């Protein structure tokens, strides 16, 4: 049995005493849970949030805080960008698959502006400033940034690019203040509690309670060593994060991610996914993962990223998470950045400090043959790659991977090689299959009565591709809808 | 809802009439079902096999017939090969992952010799002759062949190679007689029926029947338009094949395989996997697939296989299914064979007719630049690849992908390019998680009482890697064990 304990449902008839009850019980107080609580309370429901840890926020509060929004938000307009729901829909369709949930993509793009306005009404602060350097996050408190490769090949050729990474305004990072995720979760949890939602901390979800007619009637959890049953008069919303920290589930579903969980919290143990599967819930995209590569995007973009054979893997000006996905899923998390002095200097001059030390080359040499030996790259492979890159770059072109001309320049000796081997981590994107109102599908594609889910407990708007902000985005968007739907039952 | 109809369990209390009953009910009469029937009957159980189609054999009867066996079988010995269970175990551990089920690999290698002897006792004929040419199948009725890349990089360097692809003796293929899979299934089904197993054809499994205590008590099926309930006094064995022909499931779990099912039959609709999930069964390796590339392995091995950017993808002397997996899962099913006149002539002279027409080059030219333009390979990429391959081949080496020296030779103009784009197909390797006796695990890792499964309805001995014969091998091996375990309950 998994560490989380049994996930099998308990028949309602076997519950001798309910230790609490509410119209809507929300499992998890991260971004999806908070949004679900607000959504349910807005429909007049009595809401109880059950949270594993001693505090609010989940993985969201520790995140950079990107929320993927667009279609013409007030923030996009204030920064001078045109965007439409159609363009956003087209981009998501092109970039987030395979494994797309078309219905979710459609409603998400369609109602993204409204969702931004709702976040603002909840008190989430955004500063109307656009950040335009290659980085994982802005240098300061800018509110808008490209976060999905919209302005790079192949997407820039398909859809008019618009930046859609919306960031809550944080205090300047240099002062040590909390980041964008915190500044998202602070107002959302405040709003939830002002709406009347109650929160029970230190209460670890275990399993669902099932009524004789198959309806989900509540949950069983553990709190300070005791088992408690909590009744949900209308519905349960599972919003307890990914399964990135369940090593067994990762081994069975996303082996490339084994040993590499990141941007998630230990509580992402998959228990709520298993508990729903135990009542017949269906899952989708369990193979999919977000993947970060731990280095400076400003360095990658000015150099080339190669695999263990010295072959380039992707256009280095795309969303750095796509580089991470390519390395993790297609190149066994093995890779290097090859750059020259100018690239290193320019990257350093433009680097956004993220608390990580500045990248240091592992090897420096004028001689590519020497570097190949050091890197254990087959003889001649790196030289062939650099030779061809330089030949094309002399014409300002990259016909191999289509990096934009502004980032293409022949690399000159001495070369510095930065070791990326094993420097990837990520979290899982698969989970429960839900409709656009968070109802959890059974294997027949029918909703399980009384059961809702949102966020990384579910398969969301991203699968084969990803953009920073897709998880806080779809977690808050579909979390809110799930809360409303549960309340209306 | 999926085309297969509802997969949700029916409570036993709602079954008004059992139209048949048996100690053990086996769903599917392919290799795993036949083996399960024999195994259950050997334990004295009254067995009923329920088969969707009008005849026995399933996908197995249409297959080439490889059964992956080793550890020192009588056939291996007669052909002059040493093998041990330890070597077989080491090879499978190195080659079949990620996604290995260690317990299954261990018992499978340990008892493989006994399993071969059992197949012989069942009447499966094997001719003690070894076939040593690169091909998908032997030219004639030879009984032994390399079928997993054991004699190629990286496995040949890790474990002493032994061929383990065991083939039932067929009448000469040139006469149009049936192949090895037929010659496997003919004796197995005869043995099953001689053991007393009854078979009900044209009966399509729908869902499980669940007793009030959670035990699987039977199945509901459709037969000539009528719904029938069949009681299983001891257990149900699900042996109904993969989900390769369920387009929705493939899209959700193995998107790279979408639109490319192969080496499977339409009845592989995943209904039995869904029905087990509906009672809380766990799944594993749903992302994994076998993948064939539809061309002559003897051509690939004498040339080079490149992706859409003109980069080589793998050592071309490995199991051709590994080339297929690499193309499908890492290169979007886009690739080419580049060969020269001598390679094409040698391949043609050694080609094993498989009923497919001889491969024809799509483009022939002395000029790699011209070929790059025709192939839409970025300028210079194919020339760089061929240049480096030839440079190394002049020394009889392939340090890039480690093809064995005997297959390495500089390629000379004119070059012929064979188009492999989209020429891949395969079937799914993921499914129900079972123990070594076929008991189906629930999400807690506990057996679901009365429920067993085997073959491609389950996650078996292969996942991230594959060898020809792994499916008929683990289907027959674990099918037999599942039948026995169900009978003993």
């Amino acid at each position: 049995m998994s560490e989380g304990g049994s996930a099998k449902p308990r028949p309602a008839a076997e519950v001798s005493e309910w230790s609490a009850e509410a119209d809507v019980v929300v499992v998890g107080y991260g971004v999806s849970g908070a949004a679900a609580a607000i959504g349910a309370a807005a429909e007049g429901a009595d809401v109880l949030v059950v949270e594993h840890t001693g505090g609010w926020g989940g993985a969201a509060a520790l995140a950079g805080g990107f929320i993927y929004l667009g279609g013409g938000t007030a923030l996009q307009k204030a920064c001078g960008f045109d965007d439409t729901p159609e363009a956003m829909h087209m981009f998501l369709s092109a970039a987030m698959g395979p494994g797309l949930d078309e219905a979710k993509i459609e409603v998400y793009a369609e109602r993204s502006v409204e969702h931004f306005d709702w976040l603002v009404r909840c008190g989430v602060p955004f500063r109307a400033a656009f950040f335009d350097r290659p980085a994982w996050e802005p240098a300061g408190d800018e509110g808008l940034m490209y976060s999905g490769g919209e302005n790079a090949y192949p997407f820039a050729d398909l859809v008019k690019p618009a930046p859609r990474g919306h960031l809550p305004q944080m205090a300047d990072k240099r002062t040590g203040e909390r980041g964008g995720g915190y500044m998202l979760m602070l107002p959302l949890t405040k709003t939830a509690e002002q709406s009347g939602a109650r929160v029970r901390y230190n209460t670890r979800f275990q399993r669902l309670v099932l009524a004789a007619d198959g309806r989900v009637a509540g949950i069983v959890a553990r709190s300070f060593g005791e088992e408690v049953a909590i009744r949900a008069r209308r519905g349960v919303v599972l919003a307890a994060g990914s399964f990135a920290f369940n090593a067994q589930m990762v081994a069975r579903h996303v082996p490339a991610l084994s040993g590499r969980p990141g941007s998630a919290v230990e509580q992402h143990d998959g228990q709520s996914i298993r508990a729903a599967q135990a009542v017949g819930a269906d899952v989708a995209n369990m193979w999919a993962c977000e993947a970060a590569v731990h280095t400076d995007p400003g360095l990658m973009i000015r150099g080339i990223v190669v695999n263990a054979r010295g072959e380039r893997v992707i256009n280095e000006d795309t969303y750095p998470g796509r580089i991470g996905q390519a390395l993790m899923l297609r190149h066994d998390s093995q890779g290097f950045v090859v750059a020259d002095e100018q690239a290193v200097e320019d990257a350093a001059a433009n680097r956004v400090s993220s608390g990580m030390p500045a990248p240091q080359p592992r090897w420096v040499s004028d001689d590519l043959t020497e570097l190949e030996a050091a890197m254990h790259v087959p003889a001649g492979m790196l030289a062939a790659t650099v030779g061809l890159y330089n030949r094309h770059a002399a014409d300002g072109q990259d016909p191999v991977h289509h990096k934009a001309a502004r980032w293409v320049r022949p690399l000159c000796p001495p070369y510095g090689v930065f070791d990326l081997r094993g420097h990837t981590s990520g979290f899982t994107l698969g989970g429960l299959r839900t409709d656009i109102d968070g109802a959890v599908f059974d294997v027949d594609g029918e909703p399980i009565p009384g059961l809702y889910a949102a966020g990384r407990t579910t398969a969301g708007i991203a699968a084969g591709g990803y953009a920073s902000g897709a998880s806080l985005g779809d977690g808050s968007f579909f979390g809110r809808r799930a809360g409303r739907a549960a309340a209306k039952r």
Side-chain angles (χ1 to χ4, degrees), chain A:
Chain A
M1 188 180 299
S2 162
E3 296 159 20
S6 174
K8 287 205 281 270
R10 171 157 307 169
E14 291 177 18
V15 173
S16 54
E17 188 193 351
W18 296 104
S19 75
E21 65 177 82
D23 292 331
V24 175
V25 174
V26 176
V27 176
Y29 204 23
V31 67
S32 337
I38 299 169
E43 294 296 327
D46 168 39
V47 179
L48 176 62
V49 180
V50 172
E51 163 61 31
H52 186 155
T53 70
W56 53 260
L62 303 175
F66 275 112
I67 309 158
Y68 198 87
L69 296 166
T73 64
L75 187 65
Q76 288 179 309
K77 286 181 182 159
C79 292
F81 290 97
D82 283 335
D83 193 13
T84 63
E86 294 69 31
M88 182 176 177
H89 189 171
M90 282 176 68
F91 172 77
L92 291 172
S93 298
M96 298 294 110
L100 286 183
D101 185 324
E102 299 285 358
K104 281 184 185 161
I105 295 277
E106 186 175 338
V107 65
Y108 189 78
E110 182 75 30
R111 308 206 182 168
S112 188
V113 168
E114 193 277 332
H115 192 59
F116 173 79
D117 294 341
W118 175 79
L119 288 167
V120 170
R121 285 202 306 279
C122 288
V124 183
F126 295 93
R127 186 164 84 84
F130 173 62
F131 185 76
D132 194 21
R133 293 192 336 237
W136 285 103
E137 293 175 13
D141 62 353
E142 295 87 347
L144 191 64
M145 186 174 160
Y146 279 103
S147 71
E150 297 83 354
N151 55 343
Y153 178 85
F155 311 114
D157 298 341
L158 301 172
V159 196
K160 187 182 169 198
R164 300 194 184 96
H166 288 59
L167 275 151
Q169 183 179 14
M170 56 195 101
D172 192 315
K173 277 195 283 194
R174 282 161 293 191
T175 67
E177 301 261 331
R178 303 274 193 146
Y182 179 89
M183 291 305 294
L184 170 66
M185 291 309 300
L186 184 68
L188 285 189
T189 52
K190 271 194 184 161
T191 303
E193 288 158 57
Q194 281 164 1
S195 311
R198 293 170 289 143
V199 186
R200 183 165 174 158
Y201 291 104
N202 300 302
T203 303
R204 180 178 188 170
F205 170 78
Q206 295 269 287
R207 49 172 89 187
L208 297 166
V209 174
L210 214 52
D213 61 0
R215 192 176 54 83
V216 171
I219 67 165
V220 173
R222 289 194 76 79
S223 186
F224 299 108
E226 287 203 20
E227 199 177 83
V228 294
I230 299 173
R231 189 173 162 220
R233 287 183 295 256
R234 300 190 199 169
V236 169
V237 182
L238 299 173
S242 79
F243 61 95
F245 275 91
N246 184 314
Q248 291 179 334
M249 290 177 75
V250 168
R252 283 171 200 146
H253 301 297
V254 206
L257 188 63
S258 283
R260 315 184 169 281
S263 306
V265 292
E266 275 179 29
Q267 291 74 29
H268 284 204
D269 63 0
Q271 183 80 5
S272 60
I273 296 173
R274 291 171 55 231
Q277 286 183 284
V279 301
D282 201 5
V283 291
N285 300 341
M286 295 292 277
W287 54 272
C289 64
E290 178 267 3
V293 49
H294 303 165
T295 194
D296 176 15
L299 177 67
M300 293 193 286
I301 204 171
R302 291 174 173 90
I304 57 174
V305 175
V306 301
N307 66 15
R309 288 188 301 277
E311 297 159 333
R312 280 175 74 206
V313 303
I314 198 166
N315 50 321
E316 295 84 359
D317 61 343
T318 190
Y319 167 52
R322 294 191 86 83
I323 305 177
Q325 278 187 325
L327 286 173
M328 188 186 284
L329 299 175
R330 298 193 169 214
H331 300 281
D332 305 309
S333 287
Q334 302 296 303
F336 305 91
V337 183
V338 180
D340 62 6
E341 282 191 332
Q342 187 184 331
V344 173
E345 281 166 19
D346 288 353
N350 286 281
R351 196 167 81 88
V352 172
S353 170
S354 59
M356 287 191 285
Q360 297 296 332
R362 175 141 180 200
W363 303 285
V364 177
S365 173
D366 284 354
D367 182 355
L368 289 168
T369 304
E370 196 178 292
L371 288 172
E372 285 166 350
M375 296 158 75
H376 298 291
V377 160
M381 288 291 282
L382 184 62
T385 298
V386 171
L388 200 55
Y389 180 78
N390 283 352
R391 192 181 109 194
H392 292 134
D395 300 329
Q397 294 189 334
D398 174 23
V400 180
H401 284 284
H402 310 281
K403 184 159 65 175
R406 68 181 282 223
W407 300 111
V408 171
R409 179 183 55 73
L411 299 173
C412 315
Y415 306 101
V417 177
F418 299 76
D419 196 344
L420 302 181
R421 289 176 296 185
H423 291 203
T424 55
S425 71
F427 55 85
T428 59
L429 297 175
L432 302 176
R433 222 159 62 74
T434 49
D435 74 8
I436 59 168
D437 291 308
V440 175
F441 286 125
D442 67 21
V443 296
D444 286 345
E446 291 170 355
I448 296 174
L451 188 61
Y452 300 81
R456 283 296 64 80
T457 297
T458 68
I461 60 165
Y466 193 75
S468 280
S471 287
L472 301 188
D474 78 359
S476 56
F477 184 88
F478 292 106
R480 184 181 165 210
R481 292 176 71 95
R484 283 201 303 234
K488 280 186 190 165
R489 240 182 106 253

